Amino acid sequence: MDDALLSAIFERLAEKTLLPEAEDLLLAALDGDDALNRQLDSDPAHRYPRVSTNGTGASEPVGACMRSVTVAGFRGIGPTATLKVAPGPGLTLVVGRNGSGKSSFAEAIEVLLTGTLMRWAAAPTVVREGWRSKHAAGDTEITAEFFIEGSGNATVCRSWAADSDLAQSTAWLQRAGEKRGPLSALGWDTDLKEYRPFLSHAELEAFFGKPSELHDLLASVLGLEDLASADKRLNGARKVREDELSEVKKRLDVLRARMQPLAGQDERARACLTALSGSVPSKWDIPAAAAAAIGKTVADGGAIAVLRGLAQLTPPPAEEAAAAIADARSAAEGLRDITGTNAAQARELAALLDVALGHYQAHGDGDCPVCGNAGALTAAWRTATEENRDRLRGEAVAANDAFEEARTAARRVAALLSPLAPVASLEGGALD
């Protein structure tokens, strides 16, 4: 954005006190649709960055006066024709009869410097295709000679091949004594768009037409399109949100009507009605309504709390639950089958001998702590007991496998039941 325009906006903001949120939205809208959408989606406390205008923007272009313009094959000019003017300050009038090419020369200068005609932006295709003269064949070319302050004479040229359209042109600039370069070297690109020096006859008539047309024209001439675009973006964003709010209010009326009969029996309905009782969004307590609806706040800690907790549980997949149950049943049958067998007895005896060996490891030689037999625990006893334990472990393989299968099945079932723990721990929530 132009520094002068941005400075003027900051000055007006200093004079007219706006809410911080309104200032942020205005500045974001001036920077484009994406910036405005990001600001609208951000936290209200987020401030939009202020860009200071410290004169670091584009420098003011140097002054220039036109000496002549030469046109071939453009609009009403067929064969090459040249219009010469006296370079210097002041007003230059070009006078001629109708059809003599005055408008064609004027439009040729605009196309030469900008590459397009503004008045054709919304024109039908058939009108835009009439830019090439019907009275000449071959290429189209527009050339102008300027006197530029500080650098002297310069020539600007834009040309089109015979089969190209208006947007497919080649342009160059050549200052006296220098090689050809791009047209952008003039430094006029931004200013030609923001401060249009080219006004058609129809645009000039707007000064005497409707106030709205005059406003749009003045905004264009004064380079205020950025403000108009920002205004359009803000109005568009407001319209979208007003429509969304209107729809929410309609749905809220229906929701209130459905909750009203339940308010006498269900504290959730009463809480939601209280939270959403306001007529405007600023009066609505959305977090409170959401908490009541999903059961995060419970008036009593009894059966209703348990039921709410159960209602919020997500059951495991049916296939996974069925497989876990089948494993648990299989493990239970395995434990029943091993009970009372030699393998089960060997497993129990091996565990008992492990405990005895642990006692010997901790205390060394001594009396038996079970039967009291003096000097029963010795190094020889340890060696014999370890051999006996290892033999029993070999005999207990089937029992150990059955118990390991049971532990694995129990862990799998516990994992599926773990979400129930918070509900089961609620007061009055014992799962019978």
Side-chain angles (χ1 to χ4, degrees), residues 67-222:
R67 303 173 65 94
S68 68
V69 56
T70 300
V71 181
F74 178 80
R75 297 288 286 144
I77 300 176
T80 302
T82 299
L83 172 66
K84 295 184 178 181
V85 295
L91 178 64
T92 299
L93 297 179
V94 178
V95 181
R97 59 181 175 79
N98 290 341
S100 61
K102 301 185 300 298
S103 296
S104 296
F105 275 114
E107 291 178 346
I109 299 172
E110 179 177 357
V111 173
L112 170 64
L113 296 177
T114 67
T116 187
L117 280 174
M118 181 65 72
R119 72 180 185 89
W120 282 0
T125 302
V126 66
V127 175
R128 295 196 301 271
E129 290 178 348
W131 65 277
R132 196 186 295 271
S133 175
K134 305 296 184 181
H135 307 292
D139 298 348
T140 297
E141 183 175 277
I142 305 171
T143 304
E145 294 182 343
F146 292 91
F147 177 80
I148 301 177
E149 294 179 359
S151 61
N153 295 328
T155 300
V156 177
C157 179
R158 186 180 296 272
S159 59
W160 295 261
D163 58 349
S164 62
D165 58 30
L166 184 64
Q168 298 173 320
S169 63
T170 301
W172 51 263
L173 160 71
Q174 185 172 26
R175 299 179 188 273
E178 299 180 8
K179 294 182 178 180
R180 289 182 180 179
L183 197 59
S184 59
L186 282 171
W188 298 350
D189 291 355
T190 299
D191 295 276
L192 285 171
K193 294 177 181 178
E194 295 186 351
Y195 306 97
R196 288 180 54 218
F198 307 108
L199 298 178
S200 67
H201 180 270
E203 289 173 313
L204 289 173
E205 285 182 341
F207 281 104
F208 309 100
K210 299 178 181 178
S212 59
E213 296 174 348
L214 175 59
H215 173 274
D216 294 341
L217 176 61
L218 289 175
S220 172
V221 174
L222 297 176

Side-chain angles (χ1 to χ4, degrees), residues 8 14 26 76 147 189-190 259 285 317-318 347 357 362 378 387 389 401 405 432:
L26 171 59
F147 177 80
D189 291 355
T190 299
M259 289 191 297
D285 190 344
R347 181 177 184 275
L357 288 169
T378 62
E387 293 175 353
R389 180 201 59 187
D401 290 345
E405 181 182 351
D432 298 328

Side-chain angles (χ1 to χ4, degrees), residues 213-299:
E213 296 174 348
L214 175 59
H215 173 274
D216 294 341
L217 176 61
L218 289 175
S220 172
V221 174
L222 297 176
L224 302 179
E225 290 96 336
D226 288 333
L227 287 180
S229 298
D231 180 68
K232 184 177 180 180
R233 293 187 188 103
L234 290 170
N235 279 321
R238 177 182 56 80
K239 178 65 167 56
V240 169
R241 283 152 181 79
E242 285 180 346
D243 292 344
E244 292 175 348
L245 179 58
S246 178
E247 181 63 25
V248 167
K249 287 181 177 180
K250 292 179 183 178
R251 296 172 62 185
L252 184 57
D253 289 340
V254 175
L255 179 62
R256 286 170 177 160
R258 294 181 62 183
M259 289 191 297
Q260 194 66 47
L262 304 175
Q265 302 174 356
D266 193 327
E267 73 277 5
R268 293 176 302 173
R270 290 195 299 273
C272 284
L273 282 173
T274 300
L276 302 176
S277 61
S279 58
V280 293
S282 60
K283 300 293 185 180
W284 299 340
D285 190 344
I286 303 298
I294 64 177
K296 286 187 176 180
T297 56
V298 182

